[in-house]
Amino acid sequence: LDKFFDGKLDAQTVDNLDMDYMENAYQKAKDYFEKMNMSKEGIYNQLTSSAEGFTPEEAQYAVDKLFQS
């Protein structure tokens, strides 16, 4: 495998990943709510923990979307 991939990603490769971190955070928040019945504050804290690593903005988007009335 090393002869095909040197472990480095160029800028074009990274740009083509097209990751939606806001939506990923929302999906995680939804999982925490449905499987663990976590509160809004608990989900926010879990998303921003070092275990998950989402930014405060991504976590806030996720809990706002999840708990919108």
Side-chain angles (χ1 to χ4, degrees), residues 28-29 31-47 66-67:
K28 276 284 192 179
D31 284 345
Y32 282 123
F33 182 72
E34 291 175 351
K35 295 177 182 173
M36 301 173 125
N37 200 28
M38 291 178 85
S39 67
K40 184 176 183 176
E41 182 179 359
I43 293 169
Y44 178 89
N45 289 337
Q46 183 64 34
L47 292 176
L66 183 62
F67 289 97

